[in-house]
Amino acid sequence: VEDYVNNIILANLPVAAKTMHMEEAKELNAAMLFGEKYGDTVRVVTIENGDTNTAESVELCGGTHIESTLHAFPFKIVSESSTAAGTRRIEAVAGKAALSWLEAQKKTLDQLCGVLKVPSTDTLYQVLKLKNRIKQLEKELLTLRTQPIDSTAPTMVSLGNVCVHTIPNNCHDDKKAILKMIQTFANAQRDKYPDSWHVILCGSQVACTVEPNNSCISTGSSAPHAGKVLKKLLQEFGGNGGGNDRFAQGKADIDCIDPDAVAQKMQNIIQ
């Protein structure tokens, strides 16, 4: 769109404005704004192309205009958005306004080059490099934050084939990191002790995991299902949760749950 408009502008075509009756404007197929109300007399702006003896543009407009398209150079699109399905809206500047916009963009680029200490030709590469580095560091930070701290190691209460683990919250208010930490810990305990049910407590967050294909574990006449068992368990503590047969997560209505009470209720549920 920019190239097309700028090519028309650089052709230095004359711009003419003429007042005429609405019916005459319609005969010229003048462009009109949808929903706009016009009087009997309208102002029609035309951009003529002398090389082809055709009009590049004919439209109704009440504003003032330049005498030649060249006065509008350059034309620069500054934003684009969607207004409806299959319809795009663009906003642009032209002439002196476009030159001022370009100058502001150049100033911003120069400042960015100064911060990154690279020439303008390497700016995009450097930004992408920093973005990838930040993403890598965020992953490393998440890994570190989801590892239990030795000085506040997890504690465990066992009753029969139920193990209730209480782990510290090293992630503070980072919900995503908390859930990741719980799942990582739960998977490790299930793989290490596949003959047991494992419940993990971390504040009000609760998880349950079990090896569903282990013939040593049963819930009455049903196959082991962590999601169903956790849902029943959390109902005892005013919470709710769920998941699949191997792993489930949820939240209780209290911040600190007694692990001994959890172990006893788990025994009642799985028997």
Side-chain angles (χ1 to χ4, degrees):
V1 174
E2 270 189 10
D3 290 342
Y4 172 79
V5 174
N6 277 313
N7 285 336
I8 296 297
I9 289 174
L10 290 172
N12 195 17
L13 303 178
V15 179
K18 182 179 180 182
T19 301
M20 63 183 69
H21 290 292
M22 173 60 80
E23 293 302 321
E24 186 180 355
K26 290 181 178 179
E27 291 178 2
L28 294 175
N29 293 320
M32 306 178 189
L33 293 177
F34 179 77
E36 186 75 14
K37 294 182 179 180
Y38 297 97
D40 294 334
T41 303
V42 293
R43 183 173 184 268
V44 179
V45 177
T46 306
I47 300 177
E48 298 284 355
N49 191 330
D51 293 337
T52 60
N53 292 321
T54 59
E56 290 290 346
S57 174
V58 181
E59 60 182 90
L60 272 61
C61 185
T64 57
H65 285 79
I66 54 179
E67 296 179 355
S68 167
T69 58
L70 190 61
H71 296 163
F73 185 79
F75 171 85
K76 184 65 180 176
I77 295 174
V78 296
S79 69
E80 179 183 353
S81 61
S82 174
T83 58
T87 304
R88 306 293 295 177
R89 172 188 174 89
I90 62 172
E91 295 183 5
V93 289
K96 292 183 178 179
L99 292 175
S100 297
W101 185 87
L102 290 170
E103 180 61 28
Q105 297 298 305
K106 178 63 166 58
K107 184 177 180 179
T108 300
L109 179 59
D110 289 344
Q111 291 173 339
L112 182 59
C113 291
V115 172
L116 298 176
K117 301 186 186 308
V118 295
S120 59
T121 53
D122 295 338
T123 305
L124 178 60
Y125 169 77
Q126 189 66 20
V127 169
L128 293 176
K129 184 178 177 180
L130 288 173
K131 182 179 179 181
N132 291 334
R133 180 57 177 159
I134 291 172
K135 188 175 181 180
Q136 179 185 352
L137 290 174
E138 287 176 341
K139 288 183 177 179
E140 293 177 1
L141 178 60
L142 180 61
T143 299
L144 291 173
R145 295 182 69 179
T146 54
Q147 292 177 351
I149 301 174
D150 291 340
S151 60
T152 55
T155 59
M156 183 182 73
V157 171
S158 60
L159 182 62
N161 64 342
V162 174
C163 297
V164 181
H165 310 268
T166 303
I167 63 176
N169 178 8
N170 302 328
C171 306
H172 306 288
D173 296 328
D174 191 337
K175 185 177 180 180
K176 181 179 179 180
I178 293 173
L179 298 180
K180 176 67 175 177
M181 176 181 67
I182 292 174
Q183 187 169 17
T184 300
F185 183 85
N187 292 340
Q189 295 303 311
R190 184 188 64 242
D191 294 341
K192 189 175 181 179
Y193 305 107
D195 294 339
S196 298
W197 286 86
H198 297 277
V199 178
I200 296 87
L201 308 177
C202 183
S204 61
Q205 298 292 329
V206 184
C208 178
T209 186
V210 69
E211 180 50 63
N213 298 320
N214 192 333
S215 59
C216 298
I217 300 176
S218 64
T219 52
S221 59
S222 303
H225 195 289
K228 295 178 180 179
V229 169
L230 180 68
K231 186 174 182 179
K232 292 180 180 179
L233 176 64
L234 285 176
Q235 287 175 350
E236 299 287 338
F237 297 96
N240 195 14
N244 55 36
D245 57 351
R246 184 181 296 268
F247 179 80
Q249 282 184 317
K251 188 175 182 180
D253 194 36
I254 53 180
D255 291 334
C256 186
I257 306 175
D258 181 7
D260 291 303
V262 172
Q264 184 60 59
K265 292 184 181 298
M266 276 291 295
Q267 281 292 334
N268 296 336
I269 293 172
I270 65 177
Q271 288 178 355

